[in-house]
Each structure stands twice: as C-alpha cells, then as structure tokens.
Amino acid sequence: MTGSPSPLNVLLASPRGFCAGVVRAIDIVERALELYGPPVYVRHEIVHNRHVVERLRGKGAIFVEELDEIPAGAPTIFSAHGVPRAVQEAAVARDLPVLDATCPLVAKVHVQGRRYARAGRTLVLIGHAGHAEVIGTMGQIDAPVHLVSTTEDVAVLPFADDTPIAYVTQTTLSVDDTRGVIVALNARFSDVTGPDVADICYATQNRQTAVRDLARHSDLVIVVGARNSSNSSRLREIGDEMGVPSYLVDDGGGVERAWLDGVETVGITAGASAPDELIESVIAAIAAVRPVSVRQLDGVAENVSFALPPQLRRPVRAAAE
Ligand code: SF4
C-alpha cells in the first residue's frame, strides 16, 4: 500500500510578475480598442509574453513587426520596449495615429543618452544585441552608440582611454548585472559618467533581489515567463547561480513531474511581463502532482504606476461622445 504523497511547500517571491510599465502597455492596447474599436495595430509584441499577446489578439489587436504592414490611418501602438526615431518619423510621414506604450523608464534612458551625447561624451550602452529595447535606444540617439554586454567588450572599445565617455543601460539589466561592466569601464577610462544605476528600473532590481531570497529558501525554483523575455531568463539564471535547480516555464503546462521528486519546497516567481493567471496555472500543475501549501515571502512593496498617454487619459466613454 502506498501512502498519500507528502505536502509540498510552495513559496511565492515578492514582488513578482507584472511591473508598472507592462500594466501601462497592456492598458494602452485595451483602451485603444475601446476608443477606436478593433482592429488596432501594435508594432512588435506589446510585452514579451505569448499569453498576453494572444489575449489582446483575441480582442482585436493586430501585431506587426514593421509599419508598412499597417493600413493608412489605422491606430498604431508602439510596444513597451520603445522604438528608434526612424520608426516614429515613418509613422508621422504615414499619418498614423500613434499611441506610444514605451515604458517611461525606457524613455528616460533615451533622454539621458541624448543628454550625454549633446555634452560631447562618447556613448556606451550596456545591453544585449538584438533586444527590442536596445534597438530602440540606439535609434533614439543621434550619435554613435557603442553596445557592450561584457567586460571583454569594454576591453576592445575602439577609442583612447582618456576619451570622455558616458554609459546608459538596458532597463532589464539590474544594478547587479551591470556592476562588472561599469567597474571595467571605470578601470579602463579616465573620464566616465553614468546615471544613478539604482534608479534605472525598480522592477528589475526588486524581482532579482526577491528571487535570490526565494532561492535561499527553496530546493527548486520555477520562473514563469517567456523565453524571449530578458528579465525572466535572468531570473532563472540567478536561481541557478544560487545553486538551486531553476526552470523557466511559459505556464503550468511546462512543469515536469520529475522536477518535484525529493523536493520539499518549490519557489515560484515570474518575470515582469507574466500575468498572475500563469502563476496560478503553475501552482495548479504542481498541486495536481502533490498537495501544496502556499506561502508568500516578505519583500519590497511596490506602488509605482505610470500615467497613460494624453489621448487615453479621459474616460473612454467621454472621449467617444
Ligand atoms: S521592466 Fe522596468 S523598464 Fe521594463 S517595462 Fe517594466 S518598469 Fe518599465
């Protein structure tokens, strides 16, 4: 006779999941759908999460990669990652009504980068090649931007060590992620300036701090998020770096029974673009294997929210009247 399986402790990281920039971006699409009626066009995935994209697609959002896929006059939304200036200019040239869902923290990096370039500094961007936010940031600054990801990249930057330089960073890198590269910049160059990295993105830093705490209390870490979500992948890596087997799943369907063998406590967190219902689906998948007792760890309380673009600030009904 076999006994019933022992209960599994499920610990939830705090904070986890949606950040204010993602909430705002999704709100913009939903309100635009109410205001203009479907379809509305969104350039690039509004946030890096398939479930969010599918849900909005179901309501009438059409996702495209380039503006020329958008019919003349159709409401157009730029994703939370931001866009190069050329894209903004092309939208104006085509007379597309634009709602910009670029996260205000990303927009702040654009402003800062332009300011450094105007001050005559050679600009370095710490980030990952090919990421939508990096493409947007590089295209927002009318000066050469040198992208670095690692300390090795710093060593081969093609300018003299006394060149006045300034750096900005991709928002989905935390203070901890960028520290090594910033140290390398300061070690090589004699005149380096940069923003106060502590206020680049509160959400990235808070989720990374929380997953470290989670890993300290867990035998296994599950991160809910998309593979193309930079901040979700980083959360999984941090779990691994803490010596705890860590997996990234889209939703409950990604949970493998074998992961739970011999595990007493499983920690769950979610990237900034992963909705709550996906966390629920992961808990349900685990509960289907073993009974669970769920608890949330203490963590930083977030109370950040960002204003909507002016066109959407009025109540939708009033705007339509
Ligand atoms: S992770 Fe940070 S920068 Fe990115 S959308 Fe969220 S709040 Fe904005």
PDB file of all heavy atoms in Angstrom, residues 19-22 80 103-106 133 171-172 200-204 231 272 306, ligand 1:
ATOM      1  N   CYS A  19       5.044  44.527 -13.884  1.00  0.00           N
ATOM      2  CA  CYS A  19       5.578  45.802 -13.402  1.00  0.00           C
ATOM      3  C   CYS A  19       4.667  46.916 -13.933  1.00  0.00           C
ATOM      4  O   CYS A  19       3.797  46.668 -14.782  1.00  0.00           O
ATOM      5  CB  CYS A  19       6.990  46.001 -13.956  1.00  0.00           C
ATOM      6  SG  CYS A  19       6.990  46.002 -15.759  1.00  0.00           S
ATOM      7  N   ALA A  20       4.917  48.130 -13.482  1.00  0.00           N
ATOM      8  CA  ALA A  20       4.042  49.248 -13.876  1.00  0.00           C
ATOM      9  C   ALA A  20       4.106  49.534 -15.370  1.00  0.00           C
ATOM     10  O   ALA A  20       3.111  49.925 -15.980  1.00  0.00           O
ATOM     11  CB  ALA A  20       4.424  50.495 -13.084  1.00  0.00           C
ATOM     12  N   GLY A  21       5.287  49.313 -15.982  1.00  0.00           N
ATOM     13  CA  GLY A  21       5.422  49.581 -17.417  1.00  0.00           C
ATOM     14  C   GLY A  21       4.608  48.603 -18.253  1.00  0.00           C
ATOM     15  O   GLY A  21       4.023  48.975 -19.280  1.00  0.00           O
ATOM     16  N   VAL A  22       4.539  47.363 -17.807  1.00  0.00           N
ATOM     17  CA  VAL A  22       3.762  46.338 -18.513  1.00  0.00           C
ATOM     18  C   VAL A  22       2.264  46.585 -18.318  1.00  0.00           C
ATOM     19  O   VAL A  22       1.478  46.504 -19.267  1.00  0.00           O
ATOM     20  CB  VAL A  22       4.197  44.934 -18.025  1.00  0.00           C
ATOM     21  CG1 VAL A  22       3.180  43.876 -18.416  1.00  0.00           C
ATOM     22  CG2 VAL A  22       5.567  44.589 -18.589  1.00  0.00           C
ATOM     23  N   ALA A  80       6.173  48.419 -25.325  1.00  0.00           N
ATOM     24  CA  ALA A  80       6.815  48.927 -24.103  1.00  0.00           C
ATOM     25  C   ALA A  80       8.327  49.064 -24.249  1.00  0.00           C
ATOM     26  O   ALA A  80       8.967  49.788 -23.495  1.00  0.00           O
ATOM     27  CB  ALA A  80       6.506  47.991 -22.932  1.00  0.00           C
ATOM     28  N   CYS A 103       7.774  52.194 -22.152  1.00  0.00           N
ATOM     29  CA  CYS A 103       7.787  52.404 -20.696  1.00  0.00           C
ATOM     30  C   CYS A 103       8.496  53.720 -20.387  1.00  0.00           C
ATOM     31  O   CYS A 103       9.568  53.999 -20.934  1.00  0.00           O
ATOM     32  CB  CYS A 103       8.507  51.249 -20.007  1.00  0.00           C
ATOM     33  SG  CYS A 103       8.614  51.523 -18.232  1.00  0.00           S
ATOM     34  N   PRO A 104       7.924  54.518 -19.489  1.00  0.00           N
ATOM     35  CA  PRO A 104       8.575  55.791 -19.154  1.00  0.00           C
ATOM     36  C   PRO A 104      10.016  55.622 -18.658  1.00  0.00           C
ATOM     37  O   PRO A 104      10.840  56.515 -18.832  1.00  0.00           O
ATOM     38  CB  PRO A 104       7.682  56.363 -18.044  1.00  0.00           C
ATOM     39  CG  PRO A 104       6.337  55.745 -18.308  1.00  0.00           C
ATOM     40  CD  PRO A 104       6.613  54.373 -18.852  1.00  0.00           C
ATOM     41  N   LEU A 105      10.324  54.478 -18.087  1.00  0.00           N
ATOM     42  CA  LEU A 105      11.709  54.273 -17.627  1.00  0.00           C
ATOM     43  C   LEU A 105      12.654  54.037 -18.801  1.00  0.00           C
ATOM     44  O   LEU A 105      13.822  54.406 -18.764  1.00  0.00           O
ATOM     45  CB  LEU A 105      11.782  53.083 -16.648  1.00  0.00           C
ATOM     46  CG  LEU A 105      10.974  53.257 -15.367  1.00  0.00           C
ATOM     47  CD1 LEU A 105      11.178  52.073 -14.437  1.00  0.00           C
ATOM     48  CD2 LEU A 105      11.351  54.554 -14.659  1.00  0.00           C
ATOM     49  N   VAL A 106      12.134  53.438 -19.867  1.00  0.00           N
ATOM     50  CA  VAL A 106      12.927  53.268 -21.087  1.00  0.00           C
ATOM     51  C   VAL A 106      13.105  54.640 -21.747  1.00  0.00           C
ATOM     52  O   VAL A 106      14.208  55.009 -22.174  1.00  0.00           O
ATOM     53  CB  VAL A 106      12.238  52.276 -22.054  1.00  0.00           C
ATOM     54  CG1 VAL A 106      12.974  52.204 -23.387  1.00  0.00           C
ATOM     55  CG2 VAL A 106      12.135  50.888 -21.421  1.00  0.00           C
ATOM     56  N   GLU A 133      14.513  46.597 -26.980  1.00  0.00           N
ATOM     57  CA  GLU A 133      14.790  47.846 -26.253  1.00  0.00           C
ATOM     58  C   GLU A 133      16.132  48.448 -26.690  1.00  0.00           C
ATOM     59  O   GLU A 133      16.259  49.676 -26.828  1.00  0.00           O
ATOM     60  CB  GLU A 133      14.794  47.582 -24.745  1.00  0.00           C
ATOM     61  CG  GLU A 133      15.047  48.858 -23.969  1.00  0.00           C
ATOM     62  CD  GLU A 133      15.216  48.644 -22.482  1.00  0.00           C
ATOM     63  OE1 GLU A 133      14.535  47.763 -21.912  1.00  0.00           O
ATOM     64  OE2 GLU A 133      16.043  49.369 -21.897  1.00  0.00           O
ATOM     65  N   THR A 171      17.144  48.620 -19.509  1.00  0.00           N
ATOM     66  CA  THR A 171      16.440  48.649 -18.220  1.00  0.00           C
ATOM     67  C   THR A 171      16.255  47.269 -17.608  1.00  0.00           C
ATOM     68  O   THR A 171      16.094  47.141 -16.403  1.00  0.00           O
ATOM     69  CB  THR A 171      15.039  49.263 -18.376  1.00  0.00           C
ATOM     70  OG1 THR A 171      14.342  48.508 -19.369  1.00  0.00           O
ATOM     71  CG2 THR A 171      15.094  50.711 -18.756  1.00  0.00           C
ATOM     72  N   THR A 172      16.251  46.228 -18.448  1.00  0.00           N
ATOM     73  CA  THR A 172      16.009  44.900 -17.893  1.00  0.00           C
ATOM     74  C   THR A 172      17.291  44.266 -17.346  1.00  0.00           C
ATOM     75  O   THR A 172      17.312  43.087 -17.025  1.00  0.00           O
ATOM     76  CB  THR A 172      15.329  43.980 -18.931  1.00  0.00           C
ATOM     77  OG1 THR A 172      15.941  44.198 -20.185  1.00  0.00           O
ATOM     78  CG2 THR A 172      13.857  44.283 -19.035  1.00  0.00           C
ATOM     79  N   ILE A 200      17.396  52.917 -12.424  1.00  0.00           N
ATOM     80  CA  ILE A 200      17.112  52.569 -13.814  1.00  0.00           C
ATOM     81  C   ILE A 200      15.753  51.883 -13.918  1.00  0.00           C
ATOM     82  O   ILE A 200      14.855  52.346 -14.583  1.00  0.00           O
ATOM     83  CB  ILE A 200      18.229  51.703 -14.405  1.00  0.00           C
ATOM     84  CG1 ILE A 200      19.472  52.567 -14.544  1.00  0.00           C
ATOM     85  CG2 ILE A 200      17.824  51.150 -15.775  1.00  0.00           C
ATOM     86  CD1 ILE A 200      20.700  51.814 -14.839  1.00  0.00           C
ATOM     87  N   CYS A 201      15.584  50.752 -13.286  1.00  0.00           N
ATOM     88  CA  CYS A 201      14.265  50.128 -13.261  1.00  0.00           C
ATOM     89  C   CYS A 201      14.068  49.413 -11.936  1.00  0.00           C
ATOM     90  O   CYS A 201      14.715  48.407 -11.656  1.00  0.00           O
ATOM     91  CB  CYS A 201      14.086  49.145 -14.412  1.00  0.00           C
ATOM     92  SG  CYS A 201      12.557  48.214 -14.203  1.00  0.00           S
ATOM     93  N   TYR A 202      13.157  49.983 -11.136  1.00  0.00           N
ATOM     94  CA  TYR A 202      12.881  49.422  -9.813  1.00  0.00           C
ATOM     95  C   TYR A 202      12.429  47.966  -9.936  1.00  0.00           C
ATOM     96  O   TYR A 202      12.753  47.120  -9.100  1.00  0.00           O
ATOM     97  CB  TYR A 202      11.774  50.261  -9.136  1.00  0.00           C
ATOM     98  CG  TYR A 202      10.416  49.967  -9.731  1.00  0.00           C
ATOM     99  CD1 TYR A 202       9.547  49.072  -9.122  1.00  0.00           C
ATOM    100  CD2 TYR A 202      10.050  50.518 -10.962  1.00  0.00           C
ATOM    101  CE1 TYR A 202       8.341  48.738  -9.718  1.00  0.00           C
ATOM    102  CE2 TYR A 202       8.852  50.197 -11.556  1.00  0.00           C
ATOM    103  CZ  TYR A 202       8.001  49.309 -10.936  1.00  0.00           C
ATOM    104  OH  TYR A 202       6.826  48.964 -11.527  1.00  0.00           O
ATOM    105  N   ALA A 203      11.657  47.650 -10.996  1.00  0.00           N
ATOM    106  CA  ALA A 203      11.030  46.330 -11.097  1.00  0.00           C
ATOM    107  C   ALA A 203      12.064  45.238 -11.326  1.00  0.00           C
ATOM    108  O   ALA A 203      12.006  44.159 -10.723  1.00  0.00           O
ATOM    109  CB  ALA A 203      10.004  46.335 -12.226  1.00  0.00           C
ATOM    110  N   THR A 204      13.027  45.524 -12.205  1.00  0.00           N
ATOM    111  CA  THR A 204      14.065  44.536 -12.497  1.00  0.00           C
ATOM    112  C   THR A 204      14.849  44.225 -11.226  1.00  0.00           C
ATOM    113  O   THR A 204      15.052  43.062 -10.866  1.00  0.00           O
ATOM    114  CB  THR A 204      15.008  45.079 -13.594  1.00  0.00           C
ATOM    115  OG1 THR A 204      14.229  45.333 -14.759  1.00  0.00           O
ATOM    116  CG2 THR A 204      16.108  44.095 -13.914  1.00  0.00           C
ATOM    117  N   ASN A 231      14.180  39.749 -18.824  1.00  0.00           N
ATOM    118  CA  ASN A 231      14.203  39.760 -17.347  1.00  0.00           C
ATOM    119  C   ASN A 231      13.789  38.415 -16.761  1.00  0.00           C
ATOM    120  O   ASN A 231      14.276  38.010 -15.713  1.00  0.00           O
ATOM    121  CB  ASN A 231      13.405  40.945 -16.797  1.00  0.00           C
ATOM    122  CG  ASN A 231      11.913  40.764 -16.878  1.00  0.00           C
ATOM    123  OD1 ASN A 231      11.309  40.179 -15.990  1.00  0.00           O
ATOM    124  ND2 ASN A 231      11.290  41.248 -17.951  1.00  0.00           N
ATOM    125  N   ALA A 272       8.575  40.257 -15.351  1.00  0.00           N
ATOM    126  CA  ALA A 272       7.733  41.455 -15.318  1.00  0.00           C
ATOM    127  C   ALA A 272       6.599  41.432 -16.338  1.00  0.00           C
ATOM    128  O   ALA A 272       5.641  42.188 -16.219  1.00  0.00           O
ATOM    129  CB  ALA A 272       8.600  42.692 -15.539  1.00  0.00           C
ATOM    130  N   PHE A 306       2.256  54.403 -13.827  1.00  0.00           N
ATOM    131  CA  PHE A 306       2.620  55.401 -14.830  1.00  0.00           C
ATOM    132  C   PHE A 306       1.368  55.912 -15.525  1.00  0.00           C
ATOM    133  O   PHE A 306       0.462  55.129 -15.830  1.00  0.00           O
ATOM    134  CB  PHE A 306       3.560  54.800 -15.873  1.00  0.00           C
ATOM    135  CG  PHE A 306       4.886  54.331 -15.330  1.00  0.00           C
ATOM    136  CD1 PHE A 306       5.343  53.047 -15.563  1.00  0.00           C
ATOM    137  CD2 PHE A 306       5.695  55.183 -14.586  1.00  0.00           C
ATOM    138  CE1 PHE A 306       6.563  52.612 -15.082  1.00  0.00           C
ATOM    139  CE2 PHE A 306       6.921  54.760 -14.088  1.00  0.00           C
ATOM    140  CZ  PHE A 306       7.354  53.474 -14.340  1.00  0.00           C
TER     141      PHE A 306
HETATM  142  S1  SF4 B   1      10.727  46.069 -16.501  1.00  0.00           S
HETATM  143 FE1  SF4 B   1      11.079  48.218 -15.847  1.00  0.00          FE
HETATM  144  S2  SF4 B   1      11.626  49.310 -17.728  1.00  0.00           S
HETATM  145 FE2  SF4 B   1      10.694  47.351 -18.348  1.00  0.00          FE
HETATM  146  S3  SF4 B   1       8.545  47.825 -18.637  1.00  0.00           S
HETATM  147 FE3  SF4 B   1       8.759  47.141 -16.516  1.00  0.00          FE
HETATM  148  S4  SF4 B   1       9.047  49.058 -15.320  1.00  0.00           S
HETATM  149 FE4  SF4 B   1       9.429  49.525 -17.481  1.00  0.00          FE
END
